Amino acid sequence: MSRHADCDCSRRSFLRGAGLTLAGFGVTSLLPGPFLQQALAATAGPFSNRRLIFIFLRGGNDGINTVIPGGDPDYSAVNRPTLYIPNVSSLDLGNGFARLHPAMSSLMPLYASGDLAIVHRVGYPNNTMSHFDDQRVWENGNPAQTQLFEGWLYRYIAENAVSAGVQLPALSVQANQPILLRGDEPFVNIANPNSFDYLPADPKKTKLKNGWGGAYAGLTGLEPYRPLLSQTSVKLIDTLDEYRSWSQQTWDPRDPNTGFSLFPVSDATNPGFPPGMFPTSSYGFFRSLKICALSMLESDAVNNNGTRVAGCELGNFDTHNNQGSASGDQASLLAMLAYGLRSLQIVLSGAATDPRAYPGVWNDTVVCTLSEFGRTTKENGSVGTDHAVASCLFVAGGAVNGGVYNCDPSTWPAGVMFAKDGRYLSHRTDYRAIFWEILRDHMGADPAKVNQVFPGYSGLGLTELGLIT
Amino acid sequence: MRWRIAMRHTGACCVVLLSGIGIVAAAPPGEVTGVQIGSSSQLSWTAVAGTTDYNVYRGLVSWLVRGDGAACLGDEIAATSFTSLADPPSGEAFFYLVTAESDAGGEGTAGTGTGGTARPRRGTCDAIMRRHVLDRIGFGGDEWSRARIAALGIQGYLDEQLNPASIDESTNNELINRRVPLVPPDNINELVGLDIVNAVYARRQLEQQVTLFWDNHFNTDHSESFDWFNFYQSLFPEKQDSESAALHLEAQNQFRDLAFNGTFRDIVEASGLGRAMIIYLDTVTNVASAPNENYPRELLELHTMGVDGGYTQQDIVQLARVFTGWNICKKDASVAADPLAACIPSNTYGTATEPAGLWVVNFRPSRHDTTQKTLFAGTPYQAVIPSTASNPAAGIADAQLAFDAIVAHPSTPRFIAKKLLQRFVDEQPTTAMIDAVVVAWNNPANPHGIGDLREVLRAVLAQGAFRDPARAGGKIKTPFEHVTSALRAVRGMTDGGSSVRNYLNRMSELYHRNPVPTGFPEIGGEWVDTNKLLERQNFGYDMATRTSTTYGADVIGLLNANGISTAASPNNAPAIVDFLSGILFGGGWTASERQRALDYLNTNDSGVPASYTDSRIRETAGFLMGFPQFVEQ
């Protein structure tokens, strides 16, 4: 099965060209053997202790109302009659220019601690403003190939090796596996965390597991999806036992000061319910985030469990109508995101009230958000905004150089909110520069392999921001 | 051909039904000899007397060591040669088997290998190809369709399915009875249930597939429609459910009709000026003072020309102005068909005194941009939509002119042809395949003219690649196809309710509830991940082991009706697993996979050999539904 929807190249010929053999379409990992052993020797490699959590904001988050350019006169009630958030309502980020959406007040302690980098004007040249294409480009790391269904994060993991016996190197917790983690070797995607197991109880469960496991492991046949099906089954079965052991449904870490659940996944854990701090529609997002956090904590060198990359998504950012301003649809989503980021910092620092008392891993963790594009500077006729170019994103973690990037007078000159096509905020930092920095300086990616992870990167002359200490 | 005609459990019939093994009028032809590979990779063999045609099978030499058989490569070959042999993978070699078959006697032997054992095959070409067709154009085989395709042959079955009106559903009591509680749908769950019931029980299988194809292509999300009817929430919450669901039923019924009785031009207008789409992509708030680009963008990118079709941002801007002024309102029944007629005042909506009437499409000249618009400016496809400033009501025709121009653009037939080919034939259709379908699209002699959707579909299914055994199993069933084909295979019973719907929800394929305008993908890799494999396997096991008439199956009845005893003694396990693999995936498995099924049936939960019971037979059916062969199509 080719990852290139419009390409005539068969998967088999692609692999032959890469010098790998197929070993009879069996379960042998497609990653080259000898290289794996070398990579394990590296001290700052993957599956050392460094971790990455990603959260994709689907739909195109309006960066302009999230990190507000209060110092730009173009941010005004003239351009945004109903969406405008005046300075008195927004949060001061301390540089005399940028301000934070009031619904994200949960982030202020994290920001004050210096562990949060707020980056604006992120995008890439000539984005099509199509959800489909631009999400794919943000996930596949190659604007020249909008039809490539393979992730830059997958390639980072593949190029920097995984050793046999390390389960769950990467995990996504969302309805469909994101392209970020797609590649020839399937990683685990858990869409329904509360029902991720075979139906019957033991011993029947084991009988089915062994039966199906054997059927898929010993698979021959020339059907193009056989290798993918085989590996998916192997991965599934490896994962089920491990996941069961986490007992995620009984894990409820709490804020040490307020006693609130850090991940509201039900009415009982929704602070202040009824009515609750968050809508019931938020429970899925918080559950996914909780599983991501748990996978990080349940991984350590002793167990050799290995989850180092995890991620989920938050949807409904495509606010063409009724976006809201200080409150409303976007505000509600931003409040969830802010609380989630804050909860990650607390629980991954080992600071949560939690009988399980996991050791902290925050200094080894980076959390980042993504979104396919920003939204129009001017409000539309439906009290919302349309697709545009640049947006903002958040990078948090113990090793992050906190602060505001690309939202001050030197990086946000006059007129920049209409600089692209006379309508859109133009980008200043390419998304690839941000994520390559994180991969190289935090996750220990081999600098020599940059072009395998982000094709063509070394020729682009992109400016990096210095987000990682 | 060998026939196996089964008793349908409703008892009603239109085809002669006999239980037991079919009738063979003559002996099959003998073994084929002289098989050799000549120059230019051509396989040839010696003709066998009394043969109608030959089948070619192929496998990797490394499989022979494991006892894994060859798979069908060439079906019903008329000549004594077969060309276009592909290269084997690096370090491997292919082996080939040829059999001879006759219409009267069926397929002859593939001969014996060293040691005198029969040369193994993964299913016969007939069984594999019939299963392929039933899976691709519908939702897998059930008793009626398996008998029908055996009676008519593949081409006859395809021709009949392309003419749904000719297929009698009046005696299809399961379909009729199970639809009754769901029509009209009281809420969106019932419409999803109707989709399930139609797919599982209808004889007009292609009609159901194609209807859902267009429903998915012109994706709308019920949650938007539901929100639009918010004014009913306090006093008439049931109306919020039923009126919003009605929008999606209407769209689907239009797609069902036009797919066989209309053109693409018809269907794109039915979608774009349909109530569900007007709400979903914000046409409903698109006004001259603030044009909204949501629908125009998706109309070009997703519905017609495709993202590389050659339109520009300027075209989207122009189209946004074209679609200004349209919305939804309530009108008295006497004027409901007139988009320009006055609406019942909106301040009555949702009140106790809301007047009677119908929710309909409305056009407001005063909110319409009356300036001239130009599409595809500077290209050979340029279309100018004239100003209507002197007569704003005439602006209602802007949308018609825009649809005309977009559908006439050559990118449109290519984009649609490619998508149809991906759905039915090959996920990477060649330029030649697309060209052939576009020729059929543009044929002025089509009964409905250019873009005749039935003729386009006919051309898709007439591609040689559709009858290529090497492409069988080359796609993955979507979750919807997986659950419905599982139900169909084993006399499944469903009322379209939450038991099945919850699985579809967990696998993220609920029609009418997909928030993303792109619709569900046509590419199989999107439907394979650890979660979806788990849910597929859980579903087959869950459904097959139950016997309730609202959610379950009748595996035992199906076996017995086909002359397969389910008694534990003597050991009927081989006959049971062979029958199940036949109906589930045309018997396309290996000896070791078959042994695995036998082991499952013949051992207890702890893996110790023990006599099977009816319960374990059902489990085995569920177990086989979790095999990769059943996930593929």
Side-chain angles (χ1 to χ4, degrees), chain A residues 245-329:
Chain A
S245 76
W246 294 351
S247 293
Q248 63 89 5
Q249 279 182 270
T250 60
W251 188 52
D252 179 29
R254 291 168 179 264
D255 184 316
N257 296 319
T258 62
F260 290 157
S261 293
L262 291 176
F263 300 105
V265 298
S266 61
D267 294 349
T269 51
N270 192 351
F273 189 88
M277 196 184 287
F278 298 102
T280 56
S281 56
S282 70
Y283 297 162
F285 166 67
F286 283 123
R287 183 175 299 115
S288 302
L289 204 58
K290 180 176 114 167
I291 307 296
C292 290
L294 186 56
S295 75
M296 300 279 135
L297 295 168
E298 280 279 349
S299 306
D300 59 40
V302 173
N303 289 332
N304 196 27
N305 180 282
T307 305
R308 294 294 183 265
V309 175
C312 61
E313 64 186 7
L314 179 55
N316 295 316
F317 280 91
D318 191 25
T319 49
H320 284 283
N321 51 26
N322 280 318
Q323 177 173 316
S325 55
S327 64
D329 286 356

Side-chain angles (χ1 to χ4, degrees), chain B residues 171-189:
Chain B
T171 56
N172 189 347
N173 295 329
E174 286 281 358
L175 178 69
I176 293 167
N177 295 337
R178 290 187 185 272
R179 282 170 52 95
V180 167
L182 300 172
V183 180
D186 292 334
N187 51 54
I188 199 61
N189 286 339

Side-chain angles (χ1 to χ4, degrees), chain A residues 233-252:
Chain A
S233 168
V234 167
K235 194 71 69 176
L236 170 66
I237 289 173
D238 280 351
T239 303
L240 288 177
D241 291 340
E242 182 64 40
Y243 182 80
R244 207 176 297 121
S245 76
W246 294 351
S247 293
Q248 63 89 5
Q249 279 182 270
T250 60
W251 188 52
D252 179 29

